[in-house]
Amino acid sequence: IYPPRRTLHGRRGEGRQGMSATGRNRPGKERATLDFYKTPPWCVRRLCERFSKLFEGRAILEPCAGNGTILRTLQEYWPIAKDVRTAKNGAAVGLYKNYIAIEIDNRHANSLRPLATRVGIQDYLRFRAAFSVWRADVAITNPPFSLAAPILEHARRSVLAGAFLLRLSFLGSAERAGFLQQANFTVAVL
């Protein structure tokens, strides 16, 4: 979560399943195609409950939309906009949300269309929000772990704030240490 820097810890238990993991070093466990692991809805709900002010009244980008679990869960809190009007700065106006979904895998296109006001089937790392209808205020995603750092950096240049659902091991990498030291992130353990 960015900005600013602080640490929060979640409750233990609740019988919930963990975040995506590649399952390396286990017999018969292959890495998923495009590093796609479904996001548990409880993670998104926890973010919505803890950081609702981050999301309220803002256009939301899901840069690695996958099968739409994050967008579907966000809409439990803020329904999709039926009539999106934009202010002069390109932000969504009104009670309902403007959701933008970007996904590299075209097999998910049909399932994403009812969940977003705009759907782009392309590589987010090549995505440029050239028009105001594609601009967002906040990004929320569960990125492919192997591409999390470049996706996070790309999002930092294009949105005001973001929430990235990542395994804690992301913070412990020597190769990402410099990047993480320069960034001003809030770390929340869900």
Side-chain angles (χ1 to χ4, degrees):
I1 307 265
Y2 64 91
R5 174 172 284 183
R6 66 179 188 237
T7 302
L8 300 171
H9 297 282
R11 297 183 297 256
R12 295 181 190 265
E14 300 180 8
R16 58 186 189 241
Q17 295 179 343
M19 287 296 298
S20 63
T22 61
R24 287 182 287 215
N25 302 326
R26 283 195 245 155
K29 294 288 185 176
E30 299 294 323
R31 191 174 204 118
T33 304
L34 295 174
D35 226 4
F36 173 69
Y37 299 91
K38 293 181 182 179
T39 304
W42 71 261
C43 294
V44 182
R45 288 184 190 108
R46 184 67 54 82
L47 279 172
C48 291
E49 290 160 7
R50 279 209 179 150
F51 300 99
S52 63
K53 288 186 178 20
L54 179 69
F55 302 113
E56 287 175 357
R58 297 179 189 250
I60 294 178
L61 167 68
E62 213 301 28
C64 306
N67 65 355
T69 298
I70 290 176
L71 295 169
R72 194 174 299 105
T73 307
L74 287 170
Q75 291 177 38
E76 292 173 11
Y77 296 82
W78 305 284
I80 193 169
K82 299 300 181 203
D83 177 23
V84 177
R85 299 178 311 273
T86 55
K88 290 181 183 178
N89 66 359
V93 178
L95 176 63
Y96 297 103
K97 280 288 184 211
N98 180 19
Y99 292 103
I100 300 165
I102 306 295
E103 174 54 39
I104 196 168
D105 189 345
N106 64 4
R107 292 176 295 174
H108 296 292
N110 288 335
S111 64
L112 291 173
R113 286 194 178 93
L115 302 173
T117 48
R118 301 271 184 274
V119 176
I121 303 301
Q122 60 185 299
D123 183 346
Y124 176 66
L125 293 174
R126 297 173 188 240
F127 175 75
R128 301 285 181 261
F131 303 101
S132 63
V133 294
W134 287 97
R135 289 199 185 112
D137 306 308
V138 178
I140 177 173
T141 193
N142 175 10
F145 193 81
S146 61
L147 296 172
I151 288 170
L152 197 153
E153 184 58 36
H154 188 70
R156 285 185 64 214
R157 290 191 302 266
S158 61
V159 295
L160 303 172
F164 282 70
L165 298 166
L166 293 163
R167 296 188 320 253
L168 284 174
S169 62
F170 182 80
L171 301 174
S173 166
E175 66 186 51
R176 289 187 288 272
F179 166 71
L180 293 169
Q181 287 171 353
Q182 291 175 358
N184 183 20
F185 297 112
T186 296
V187 176
V189 178
L190 303 176

